[in-house]
Each structure stands twice: as structure tokens, then as C-alpha cells.
Amino acid sequence: MIDKKAIEHIAKLARLQITDAEAAEFSAQMEKILQNFKKIENINTQGVEPMVTPTEIESFWREDQVVQNYKPEDMVANAPDRAGNLFKVPPVV
Amino acid sequence: MDLTFASLSEISEAVKSKKVSAKEVAAHFQKRIESLDPKLNAFTSHNPNALEDAESTDSRIAKGEDVGLLAGVPFGIKEMLCTKDLKTTAGSKILSNFVPPYDSTVVARLKKQGVTVMGKLNQDEFAMGSSNETSFFGAVKNPWDVNRVPGGSSGGSAAAQAARLVAGTIGTDTGGSIRQPASFCGIVGVKPTYGRVSRYGIIAFASSLDQAGPMVSSVKDAALTMEVISGHDPMDSTSSQKLVPAWSQKLSTDVKGVKIGVIKEYMKGGLDADTEKTFSESLNTLKSMGAEIVEVSVSMSEFAVPIYYLIATSEASSNLARYDGVRYGYRAEFSSLAGVELEDFYAKTRGEGFGQEVKRRIMLGTYCLSSGYYDAYYTKAGQVRRMLTEQYLAAFKKCDVILSPVTTSPAFKIGELVSDPLAMYMNDIFTTSTNLAGLPGMSVPFGASHAGLPIGVQVTANHFDEQRMLNVAAALESVSPVKGRKPHVI
């Protein structure tokens, strides 16, 4: 049952702020969608290895070399807030 | 030469032989974009340096340099693909100011072959949607009827191509996002085998399903573009090392003796009359050209939509965790960061930055991956996915390609399905299996509804067997009853 409490819990896990109106909407819709997902519940999958990638991954190796493709300032250029080449975040301790 | 409707190789040959300059080609399409795009909203941004880029192709030609297979050909690129120094937003507010410092491999390969990037194309936010109504930059209109959707999520690419605002476009396909809009807009769209095309620099939605591909005006153009963008890339560990054939050189419309599979579980009804008619005509046509029709069973395809949404939303919830307002993208406003809890900082930024459909899918995915539900949903979906793939591989022992409709109906009206996500998800019934099994699939225009809307047919082939898929599509294209039709908007 995807009630308001469950929605709040999921939103917290997803680090996603949602409004009361969204919570009500998602709760009704998720209930219906998850009901549809349940179609696969009774399929016998005993002993079947879950598939994570659809075609075989062919391993390849590259030289373990240090290369510098970008300048640090290019890498932080999109930061919403920074101090020099450091990202600014709220205090974490 | 009529530049507007010229093929990719015609443009490239004309540019290389100096019959027309790359700059003139770019200017021609730039004018088309300026006059027609306000009706369609297909472009989100234009490349301010398009003419200069084309000019540099011209000067390379003047110096006698090899400028590649697509010299001076103007392309539009979906917002999912990173383009150096050109905004790449994924159709989202959260990335609305993001300017990548590098090109995705697909774009780098196009540029290497002389393509002029004209701009970025609108899409559903983070490629989540079947109607192109979830973009932060507004809905795209279908050039055949501006009251209808162009399909999603590569709706901007499909609309721009159908209206010939560019000569070629690139889309991405996670559950049908190239094929469905291609069908809705009457163009050719190809999703290559998983691993054929590098995903490096393509904004991740569901990593085990995503694949980029061409959305163009003919099968030959599609084959040529595929040759350019395919091939191993050390930057993507899932990229295949298989050799890339010269598909466009080997195209053949001879289908004598080719076994065309029809999935019997798809024949249960539920199709609108025009779509059903188009599909059955395509089968009859291939039969009359000497192909053999074979019935195959893929019983698990009945579960493709739930498995797809379980896997896609789970992978999306994980991939989209990177949008936290710290390193790039939108950040919610705070009068001061002092005293702000980090978790609240993330939640507020993400709550404001993501749109409704993306939030819904993150919520679904987070739920499916959460403790207590992981095995019942994600693991189970992975198991059924393997069973589905094995059924496909068994089917391809009996046939060479599989033919099916692309969608259950032609383009629907804007706003018609947006409030019913489940109905919208069911729209993907014929396309999602292909992504789950990693198979190549494409849409080729073959019919029209009584209202004149385009209807495509889907050709699916075995892993890495794009040539046979392209050949069957080329055969259909060569006798297509809708050949040469153009949307009203142009």
C-alpha cells in the first residue's frame, strides 16, 4: 500500500522534496503502476540468473597511464557556487 | 540540387566537389530553422558558430584535406548528447545551464566526418516520456498536425527531421524513443544493437537500455550515419569491439527467401484500424517480394512493459542521484548555507529542478530498489528479462528479422494521455522488448491514417545483424505507399 507515509519515506530515500499535492498524486498513480508491475510476480523464475546487460561485455584493457585531458577550471566551470577550484557546499560537520 | 530534400551523401558529394559550399548549406538550413521552428519548438538552442564551423570544412576542402563521409551535412543533436561549449540540458531545469567541456563520442565522430552541428533538439525531460510533453522547454509539435505530439522522447529530432530543418538528426532510445517518434513523424529511426554505439557523453537514463541512433529521411541515410557513429570506444566499457560493416554500401532491397517473423502474441488485437492495416500491408508486400512469413512465439513479450519500467526506473533513480546541485546544474536558492542540512539542500534542489514525470520515475525506481522490495521487483525483472531475451534468440533461429507495428496508434493529441501515466507507458508495448533484449530495431514509414498521419513499421533483427534489418527496411521503403509525402507544415 503506497500511502502518504510510504510516499514520504520513499521521497526521503530519493532525496527529493515533493509537495503535498504531488504526494497525493504519486500515491494514487504508483499504486496503479505497481499493480501492473505485479503481473510478473507469478512467473516461475527459479534458477534464472538476473540479466544486467543485454549483450556480452567484451573485456578490454587500456594502459594505466596518467593523462591530463582537462584543466581543473574546466571541470568546475559548471559549479553553481565555488571558491577557486573548490565546490561550495553547506557545512557537513 | 534541392538542398532541402537532398540525401546525406548528395550533400556531402556536392560539398566535396565544391558545387556548393558547406557554409551555403548551413545558411540554407539556418533559414529554414528560423522560419519554421517557431511553429514546432523542435530546437532548444542554436549553434552560434554553425556558419564558422561550416566555413572551416570548406577551407579544409580547399587545402585538399579528407573531410569525411558527411562533409558539410547539417545535423541536429538531441539534448541528451554532450556537445562541447554548447548547452546540454536533457530537457530539464536541473541541467538548464550546463555547458559540457567535451563532446560525446557520437558527436565527436560526426564532427570528424565533417558534420556541421546546427543546434540542440528538444526532448522529454531526461528522455522520460512518449509524447515530448515533459520537456522543461515546452512541448514539441508534430509537423503533420501541430495539435498532435511528435512522439517521445526524441520528438524534437523527429519533428526537425520531418520538417527538414536539418539534413539529419541523432536521437536516443531507451524504450522506443527513436522508433516511436520516427513512426509518428514519418521518418526513418534506428536503435542499433546495445553496445554498437558508445554511450560516452550521453546523459544516462537507464544504462543497460540506452542507445543512440540516427533519425533521418531514408534507410540509406540511416545506414551511412550508423557507419559514422558506431564502433568500439575505450571510454565506454559496454561498447562492442565488433567490426562495423559498410552497411550503406551493402544495402539491398532483395528479400527473396528472407524469413520474416511475426510474433503471435502481438496479434491479439488492441491496434487501431489504420495501424493494423499498415502492418498487414507491409507483410503482404514483403511476401509478394519473395519473403517468407514465419510465426514465432515470444510469450514473455506480454510482460515487456512492466519489466521495462521496473528496470528503467530503477536504473534512472540511481543515475539521477548525481544531480545534487553541487558540481553542476541548478541549485535551489538559500539565503545562506549556514545551518542548512545537506540532505535538505539536496532534496530542495532536486524537488525544484526535476519535473513531474522524472520525479514520478525516481520515486518508482527508489521504491523498487528499496530494502524489502529489491528482490521482488528489480531481481525478478532481471530474471524475466533474461527469459524474454532467450525467447527472442530462439525466435531468431526460425526467422531472419521480426516485423511488428511500432505503436498501437498514430500520433495522439497533445494533452490526451499526459494525466494517465499507465496508458502512456502502454504505448511502448512494441518497442520496449527490443531494448530489454539489446536487439537492433528500426521504424520505417509505410502507411498513413485516414487523417493523413504517418504510420511506421518496426523491423527487429538479431544482435549485431543490422544489415538484414536495414535491407528489409530498404525493401519496404522502395515500394512504400507513402513515399514522397511531406508534412503540411513545410
Side-chain angles (χ1 to χ4, degrees):
Chain A
M1 176 68 187
I2 312 290
D3 55 15
K4 196 165 175 265
K5 211 177 146 201
I7 289 283
E8 280 166 3
H9 176 62
I10 303 163
K12 192 172 165 25
L13 290 176
R15 309 278 186 269
L16 199 58
Q17 193 178 74
I18 56 170
T19 62
D20 283 348
E22 282 173 332
E25 187 193 326
F26 291 164
S27 146
Q29 287 170 342
M30 278 177 70
E31 190 68 42
K32 199 173 153 195
I33 295 164
L34 288 167
Q35 210 54 43
N36 186 268
F37 286 0
K38 286 216 166 87
K39 276 185 190 166
I40 65 166
E41 204 174 51
N42 297 322
I43 301 171
N44 182 4
T45 54
Q46 216 183 346
V48 179
E49 181 72 18
M51 179 184 261
V52 287
T53 188
T55 50
E56 237 168 80
I57 293 180
E58 306 146 48
S59 300
F60 55 88
W61 305 97
R62 58 178 166 78
E63 290 299 313
D64 187 15
Q65 282 172 338
V66 177
V67 285
Q68 187 165 12
N69 290 325
Y70 304 99
K71 288 182 278 189
E73 43 274 31
D74 291 342
M75 294 292 95
V76 295
N78 277 288
D81 196 6
R82 61 188 170 117
N85 286 337
L86 302 172
F87 300 113
K88 263 193 180 174
V89 291
V92 283
V93 281
Chain B
M1 183 174 60
D2 181 359
L3 272 180
T4 307
F5 297 102
S7 72
L8 304 187
S9 52
E10 281 167 349
I11 295 176
S12 175
E13 288 312 313
V15 168
K16 279 191 265 197
S17 60
K18 298 182 192 164
K19 285 192 186 107
V20 62
S21 71
K23 193 180 176 185
E24 281 165 337
V25 176
H28 171 84
F29 283 96
Q30 204 170 49
K31 265 197 202 135
R32 289 189 63 78
I33 295 168
E34 279 163 16
S35 72
L36 292 172
D37 195 48
K39 293 183 201 166
L40 300 173
N41 197 30
F43 274 83
T44 39
S45 65
H46 302 149
N47 176 9
N49 302 318
L51 294 182
E52 284 86 342
D53 292 350
E55 228 170 356
S56 80
T57 303
D58 289 327
S59 58
R60 281 171 63 202
I61 293 170
K63 280 186 217 150
E65 286 176 31
D66 178 14
V67 282
L69 289 169
L70 299 172
V73 178
F75 259 71
I77 310 289
K78 187 177 179 180
E79 280 282 7
M80 287 298 263
L81 290 99
C82 283
T83 38
K84 189 175 187 314
D85 301 332
L86 261 191
K87 251 196 228 175
T88 298
T89 68
S92 181
K93 179 180 175 183
I94 213 158
L95 274 178
S96 54
N97 54 8
F98 177 63
V99 182
Y102 65 100
D103 277 324
S104 53
T105 298
V106 168
V107 170
R109 286 182 177 173
L110 287 170
K111 284 185 179 172
K112 201 173 165 205
Q113 297 297 326
V115 158
T116 309
V117 173
M118 299 301 290
K120 302 302 285 285
L121 295 165
N122 209 343
Q123 59 162 87
D124 277 303
E125 186 181 359
F126 283 103
M128 297 178 187
S130 309
S131 66
N132 218 121
E133 290 168 287
T134 72
S135 168
F136 178 61
F137 304 98
V140 176
K141 315 282 165 56
N142 189 317
W144 295 83
D145 174 355
V146 290
N147 297 310
R148 290 178 187 269
V149 304
S153 64
S154 311
S157 303
Q161 183 65 34
R164 293 296 289 207
L165 303 186
V166 276
T169 67
I170 296 293
T172 64
D173 191 315
T174 304
S177 283
I178 285 177
R179 292 157 287 156
Q180 183 249 26
S183 177
F184 280 9
C185 291
I187 60 161
V188 174
V190 181
K191 181 202 91 72
T193 307
Y194 184 82
R196 253 308 179 205
V197 175
S198 167
R199 291 182 295 105
Y200 177 71
I202 299 177
I203 291 167
F205 163 11
S207 308
S208 79
L209 303 161
D210 299 339
Q211 201 57 188
M215 299 179 75
V216 288
S217 294
S218 71
V219 176
K220 182 141 193 225
D221 283 359
L224 186 61
T225 310
M226 293 249 296
E227 280 166 43
V228 169
I229 63 172
S230 300
H232 179 63
D233 177 12
M235 303 299 274
D236 173 3
S237 64
T238 61
S239 119
S240 168
Q241 295 179 84
K242 287 206 169 47
L243 281 178
V244 176
W247 292 299
S248 67
Q249 305 299 312
K250 293 182 194 153
L251 263 190
S252 160
T253 55
D254 181 5
V255 288
K256 271 189 205 80
V258 173
K259 288 183 179 162
I260 311 284
V262 175
I263 298 179
K264 69 174 184 192
E265 289 82 8
Y266 278 176
M267 298 298 111
K268 282 182 184 164
L271 286 183
D272 97 298
D274 292 326
T275 307
E276 192 164 2
K277 189 165 165 264
T278 298
F279 178 59
S280 95
E281 275 173 10
S282 68
L283 276 178
N284 291 338
T285 302
L286 288 171
K287 210 170 159 183
S288 70
M289 293 172 93
E292 191 189 328
I293 310 298
V294 187
E295 190 180 79
V296 293
S297 171
V298 185
S299 61
M300 288 293 160
S301 59
E302 187 190 331
F303 305 106
V305 173
I307 317 168
Y308 169 77
Y309 277 95
L310 277 163
I311 290 170
T313 57
S314 297
E315 292 186 9
S317 76
S318 166
N319 273 325
L320 270 54
R322 73 190 67 173
Y323 302 104
D324 55 10
V326 173
R327 290 150 300 156
Y328 42 74
Y330 172 82
R331 174 186 285 196
E333 266 190 45
F334 295 91
S335 49
S336 156
L337 288 181
V340 174
E341 288 288 331
L342 197 57
E343 280 193 18
D344 296 336
F345 167 88
Y346 294 148
K348 190 168 185 237
T349 291
R350 290 160 61 77
E352 289 175 12
F354 290 130
Q356 220 48 8
E357 181 60 31
V358 174
K359 285 190 212 175
R360 184 164 32 239
R361 294 200 197 190
I362 291 176
M363 293 286 287
L364 271 167
T366 304
Y367 179 77
C368 294
L369 292 179
S370 66
S371 160
Y373 298 101
Y374 183 92
D375 282 335
Y377 287 113
Y378 187 69
T379 307
K380 184 88 181 179
Q383 289 171 314
V384 186
R385 182 182 188 182
R386 183 173 297 280
M387 291 163 80
L388 169 79
T389 305
E390 280 168 4
Q391 287 188 343
Y392 262 110
L393 298 182
F396 281 119
K397 290 203 170 110
K398 293 184 189 157
C399 64
D400 299 311
V401 298
I402 289 172
L403 207 71
S404 75
V406 185
T407 57
T408 50
S409 68
F412 44 89
K413 290 206 167 121
I414 293 171
E416 198 175 319
L417 294 179
V418 80
S419 59
D420 187 352
L422 191 57
M424 186 82 91
Y425 296 172
M426 294 313 278
N427 196 265
D428 303 336
I429 195 150
F430 297 118
T431 50
T432 46
S433 314
T434 313
N435 301 73
L436 287 166
L439 304 166
M442 69 185 287
S443 173
V444 58
F446 199 73
S449 71
H450 60 280
L453 298 166
I455 298 174
V457 172
Q458 180 173 230
V459 190
T460 310
N462 207 340
H463 292 138
F464 299 102
D465 197 8
E466 281 90 354
Q467 188 73 59
R468 261 202 272 214
M469 171 182 82
L470 291 161
N471 287 356
V472 171
L476 283 171
E477 181 185 56
S478 69
V479 293
S480 171
V482 292
K483 213 172 166 182
R485 280 180 82 232
K486 295 182 180 79
H488 313 299
V489 80
I490 60 172

